[in-house]
């Protein structure tokens, strides 16, 4: 085991631990537990993470500098930065980035606005009803996206679909360039809104009610309390939801796009995420897919860093 | 409504209407799948919410074909094994993070949690390549290993939030009252930790059970293809038949157990989520 090297490594940690808990009344078992370095507990998790995420990530960098069609018998050819040049010169990339932005903006109402409204409104529902209500709203999250796609395809059917009958329209939602993206957003929103409601509810439950009570004593109306007390205290939760939406929206749309539109019609639902998958698994261009993966990852790091910084600055903390 | 402000009937009605709209949006598609799964082939397209002719034929069809049964077994096996391992490894890591202090802790936690928001798509092509070289492509471990890995950040995050809230002094108190360390753990700490472990296990299971990206990228045959991937290849009993009825039946079979499970335990799950995790 590699772990042997860790055993004598952290004298600092042991000293800190001993300082917290006096060693005198401990049994043999708990002393052994105290002496076992914390790294041992973390080791299996960290090894898995390194092998199955950081190693493929490194391989993405290597692949991005090669030309290869993913067939084991053909050799990988080093091509320098050609993949990046090709990628940056295709108009597809810019369009797919823009579509990704549209998806993210379209998702925000479903992951932030609606959940906050619903959570605030149902806050006063008590007891069993509240639990049942939350479970009902949470239900779509439990439906496998592919199964959800099947039923939405039926609901959006141009001739027999319920959506057209209710709206009195005869739109071919999934096969029209203007509406396909909208349909994907609404279906993805349906899928994740319940989870966001749960997150906001958890955030609300963590707010000390004394603040609202104090504001009411001082004569604030309910609207004022919500606007000036509850929402600011909820801001860390809201920041978390925005971050999640920006980073994961494209990922959530993937199963729906793959089963409902395959990126079409005329590429109108091909966002960055789907474009990447097409490069790798449709055109079997491992180099191009990897180059796009590297750019995507770099962009993701920048966006995540900026958003986290912003969230830190804008959030009001309770303590 | 403890403090101030009377509940006017108008306001009450407004809440009720908004609540109902949200529930309808959330629930109608779910119920529609159930309805489609009981319709006969001829009435599938009639647009009625309540089937005119009820039939169990769709269910009989899917359970008559390996196209569904094999993937169902794969899904169950892969998700359960991945969930068990991820929760055990997550508990170990979360215990260290919540209870122990050691140099480099922040960096390690950061490295582990960052992956939760990784664009998985960036890694799928190299994963496909690595698994093929190792002979793991299209096998159970070939899906179980990535599932454990991508579920670990979620498991560690949720569990360490729970573990931080456990009053660990109780363990010591129990020992002072004469309990053995084993008793102190199983009778005092385990019951306190159970809701957290349970919540985590359900979240991880849902992630594995519903995953689509890895399932279509890292499998190629019925040896390891899971239900979500198999559904996208569903063609019905014959090639020219509309598979909507059978897909709906399959969707009901894989969804209803989770919904019942969560409904049954939802008090614990919601209590779990609100008591520690996800707190900004």
């Amino acid at each position: 085991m590699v772990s042997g090297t860790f055993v004598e490594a952290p004298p600092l940690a042991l000293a800190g631990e001993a300082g917290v808990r006096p060693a005198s009344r401990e049994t043999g078992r708990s002393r052994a537990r105290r002496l076992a370095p914390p790294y041992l507990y973390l080791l299996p998790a960290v090894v898995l993470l390194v092998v199955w995420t950081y190693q493929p990530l490194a391989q993405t960098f290597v692949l991005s500098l090669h030309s290869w069609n993913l067939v084991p018998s053909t050799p990988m050819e080093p091509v320098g930065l050609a993949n990046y040049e090709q990628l940056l010169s295709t108009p597809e990339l810019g369009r797919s980035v823009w579509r990704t932005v549209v998806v993210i903006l379209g998702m925000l109402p479903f992951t932030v606005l609606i959940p906050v409204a619903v959570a605030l409104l149902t806050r006063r529902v008590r007891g069993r009803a509240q639990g049942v209500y939350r479970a009902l709203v949470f239900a779509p999250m439990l439906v496998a996206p592919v199964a959800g796609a099947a039923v939405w395809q039926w609901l959006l059917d141009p001739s027999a679909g319920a959506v057209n009958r209710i709206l009195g329209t005869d739109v071919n939602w999934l096969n029209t360039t203007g509406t396909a993206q909208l349909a994907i957003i609404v279906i993805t929103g349906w899928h994740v809104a319940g989870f966001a409601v749960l997150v906001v509810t958890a955030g609300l439950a963590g707010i000390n009610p004394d603040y609202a009570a104090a504001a009411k004593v001082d004569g604030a109306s309910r609207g004022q309390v919500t606007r000036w007390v509850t929402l600011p205290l909820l801001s860390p939760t809201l920041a978390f939801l925005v971050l999640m939406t920006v980073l994961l929206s494209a990922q959530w749309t993937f199963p729906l796009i793959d089963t409902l539109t395959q990126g079409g019609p005329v590429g109108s639902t091909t966002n960055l995420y789907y474009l990447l998958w097409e490069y790798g698994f449709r055109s079997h261009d491992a180099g191009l897919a990897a180059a796009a993966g590297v750019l995507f990852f770099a962009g993701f790091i920048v966006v995540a860093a900026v958003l986290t910084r912003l969230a830190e600055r804008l959030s009001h903390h309770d303590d | 409504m403890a403090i101030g402000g009377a509940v006017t009937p108008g306001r009450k009605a407004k809440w009720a209407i908004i609540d109902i709209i949200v529930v309808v949006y959330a629930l109608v598609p779910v119920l529609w799948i159930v309805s489609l799964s009981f319709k006969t082939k001829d009435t599938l397209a009639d647009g009625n919410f309540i089937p005119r002719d009820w039939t169990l034929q769709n269910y009989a069809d899917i359970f008559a074909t390996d196209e569904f049964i094999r993937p169902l077994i794969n899904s169950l096996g892969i998700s359960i094994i991945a969930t068990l391992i991820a929760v055990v490894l997550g508990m170990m890591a979360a215990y260290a993070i919540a209870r122990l202090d050691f140099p480099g802790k922040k960096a390690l936690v950061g490295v582990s949690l960052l992956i939760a928001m990784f664009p998985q798509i960036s890694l799928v092509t190299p994963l496909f390549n690595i698994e093929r070289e190792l002979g793991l492509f299209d096998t159970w471990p070939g899906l179980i290993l990535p599932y454990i890995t991508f579920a670990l950040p979620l498991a560690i995050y949720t569990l360490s939030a729970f573990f931080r809230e456990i009053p660990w002094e109780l363990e010591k108190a129990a020992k002072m009252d004469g309990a053995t360390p084993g008793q102190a753990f199983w009778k005092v700490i385990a019951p306190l930790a159970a809701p957290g472990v349970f919540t985590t296990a359900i979240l991880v299971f849902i992630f594995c059970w519903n995953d689509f990206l890895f399932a279509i990228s890292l499998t190629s045959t019925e040896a390891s293809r899971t239900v979500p991937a198999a559904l996208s290849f569903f063609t019905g009993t014959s090639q020219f038949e509309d598979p909507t009825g059978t897909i709906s039946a399959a969707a009901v079979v894989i969804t209803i157990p989770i919904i019942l499970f969560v409904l049954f335990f939802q008090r614990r799950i919601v209590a779990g989520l609100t008591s520690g995790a996800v707190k900004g």
Side-chain angles (χ1 to χ4, degrees), chain A residues 120-231:
Chain A
L120 283 173
L121 288 170
T122 56
R123 205 161 34 148
R124 294 179 184 83
V125 182
R126 285 273 169 261
R128 185 157 292 240
Q130 190 185 35
V132 171
Y133 182 79
R134 281 190 200 146
L136 292 180
V137 174
F138 191 62
M141 189 74 196
L142 306 174
V143 178
V146 186
V151 72
W152 276 97
Q153 188 162 35
W154 207 243
L155 290 172
L156 293 173
D157 189 84
S159 53
V163 172
N164 270 342
R165 287 197 304 165
I166 290 168
L167 298 178
T169 50
D170 57 346
V171 181
N172 193 343
W173 297 94
L174 292 167
N175 291 313
T176 312
T177 44
T179 55
Q181 182 80 284
L182 179 70
I184 295 288
I185 290 170
V186 171
I187 302 172
T188 314
W190 167 75
H191 205 250
V192 296
F195 178 71
V197 171
L198 214 59
V199 172
V200 178
T201 310
L204 283 174
I207 293 176
N208 188 337
D210 293 351
Y211 296 114
K216 285 217 170 133
V217 169
D218 291 346
S221 71
R222 181 173 311 128
Q224 283 172 323
V225 171
T226 303
R227 169 65 191 85
W228 299 106
V229 179
T230 311
L231 283 181

Side-chain angles (χ1 to χ4, degrees), chain B residues 141-202:
Chain B
L143 278 182
I144 290 173
L145 286 166
Y147 283 171
I148 296 172
T149 309
F150 282 94
L152 266 178
L154 175 75
I156 294 174
Y157 181 73
T158 325
L159 283 166
S160 56
F162 277 112
F163 285 0
R164 239 176 257 129
E165 309 251 311
I166 291 178
W168 294 90
E169 316 83 60
L170 287 180
E171 189 184 27
K172 230 188 219 166
K175 282 186 211 153
M176 289 214 297
D177 290 345
T180 66
Q183 283 174 324
F185 181 79
W186 286 111
K187 299 232 156 113
V188 179
I189 297 299
L192 287 171
V197 174
F198 209 77
T199 308
T200 310
I202 289 182

